Amino acid sequence: MNRAEKAALQLQAVAVLRMLKETRTYEELSAVTGLPAGDLNRYVNGHVLPGADRASEVVEAVGRDALADELIARVSFDDEGYVDNSGVVFDQSFLDLVAPVAAETFSFESPDVILTAATDGITLGAAMASFFDARLAYAKKSKETAVEEFIESRQRLASGIELTYYLPARAIDAGDTVLVVDDLIRSGETQELLLDIALQADADITGVFTLIAVGDEGMERARAITDAPVGALTTFE
């Protein structure tokens, strides 16, 4: 870890602690983190930064649990099982906290490109791209008018509907490392198409990440395509 990466990790740990502190006393925060209340006071108020090891523990362990709980509180399901996660995907500050936690928890290698699908995946993709200092690319169900060359991936669904995604060919170069992200994985059909696009571009896949996994089908579908880490912040059965 170089000095810039260390500083970024320390600042992300402070951001996680500040989020937790909004609804807790320092004593309650100490019970959650296992850290002394006095140290937490100094971190939250910006007097000192936690060491790299302690920052890593906060981001990976405390951070993931806290963000997962916050995410669960923000999503809802209707009677047909459809997910309303607008309270998450429209909150860029929350997603900015998710990015380092995901990176630390699932040990994603730093990618050249974050690949997602329009439109709900874009805000998470932007947060991940900012954290990794990577390019953001998003596939769409329609072609851009002025773009001449596309990578195209299509699949006929069980319902008989054909699902197609297009990505401008210059968005990913051969040899790029690509992290596929999306706000939600259920069947895994969209993620399979995104992975196919990355493979068509002769890119190397560094992982698949989603905020919400509904069941195991989609996650297993992704794992069948890549040996890279596949992870979700939280899972609903």
Side-chain angles (χ1 to χ4, degrees):
M1 181 185 302
N2 61 38
R3 293 178 67 182
E5 291 170 337
K6 177 183 176 182
L9 177 62
Q10 291 171 307
L11 291 172
Q12 292 297 339
V14 170
V16 169
L17 292 173
R18 285 175 174 166
M19 181 193 72
L20 294 173
K21 178 61 181 67
E22 290 179 2
T23 56
R24 294 169 175 85
T25 65
Y26 283 111
E27 287 71 22
E28 291 170 337
L29 186 56
S30 177
V32 171
T33 62
L35 302 178
D39 289 356
L40 292 168
N41 185 304
R42 288 188 286 273
Y43 298 153
V44 169
N45 288 294
H47 299 309
V48 295
L49 292 174
D53 290 342
R54 180 170 282 186
S56 180
E57 291 174 4
V58 168
V59 170
E60 181 177 356
V62 179
R64 183 185 182 185
D65 291 343
L67 290 175
D69 289 344
E70 181 69 16
L71 185 150
I72 290 169
R74 292 184 181 205
V75 302
S76 60
F77 290 78
D78 67 13
D79 293 338
E80 297 181 2
Y82 290 102
V83 182
D84 176 7
N85 62 0
S86 56
V88 176
V89 297
F90 294 156
D91 188 342
Q92 197 66 52
S93 61
F94 175 81
L95 296 176
D96 288 342
L97 289 177
V98 169
V101 170
E104 191 74 15
T105 301
F106 300 107
S107 301
F108 294 128
E109 294 182 13
S110 184
D112 298 309
V113 179
I114 301 294
L115 176 62
T116 189
T119 56
D120 283 352
I122 292 176
T123 50
L124 174 62
M128 299 293 281
S130 176
F131 175 76
F132 282 114
D133 193 23
R135 306 194 307 275
L136 173 63
Y138 54 90
K140 299 173 64 175
K141 294 179 182 178
S142 59
K143 293 183 177 181
E144 297 284 356
T145 304
V147 178
E148 295 183 357
E149 295 185 20
F150 291 89
I151 302 172
E152 176 181 327
S153 184
R154 65 178 61 201
Q155 180 180 129
R156 187 170 296 278
L157 309 183
S159 62
I161 298 173
E162 190 170 78
L163 180 63
T164 306
Y165 274 97
Y166 304 92
L167 182 76
R170 65 180 183 179
I172 302 177
D173 297 323
D176 276 345
T177 52
V178 174
L179 175 62
V180 173
V181 307
D182 210 349
D183 64 310
L184 183 145
I185 293 180
R186 187 189 297 269
S187 66
E189 291 160 343
T190 298
Q191 292 71 39
E192 184 173 351
L193 293 176
L194 293 175
L195 288 165
D196 179 60
I197 286 173
L199 293 172
Q200 285 189 57
D202 292 325
D204 295 322
I205 297 165
T206 64
V208 179
F209 175 71
T210 183
L211 293 172
I212 301 167
V214 180
D216 296 326
E217 179 185 355
M219 301 294 281
E220 292 304 318
R221 197 166 185 167
R223 292 188 180 105
I225 298 171
T226 178
D227 293 328
V230 176
L233 182 61
T234 192
T235 300
F236 293 93
E237 298 302 329

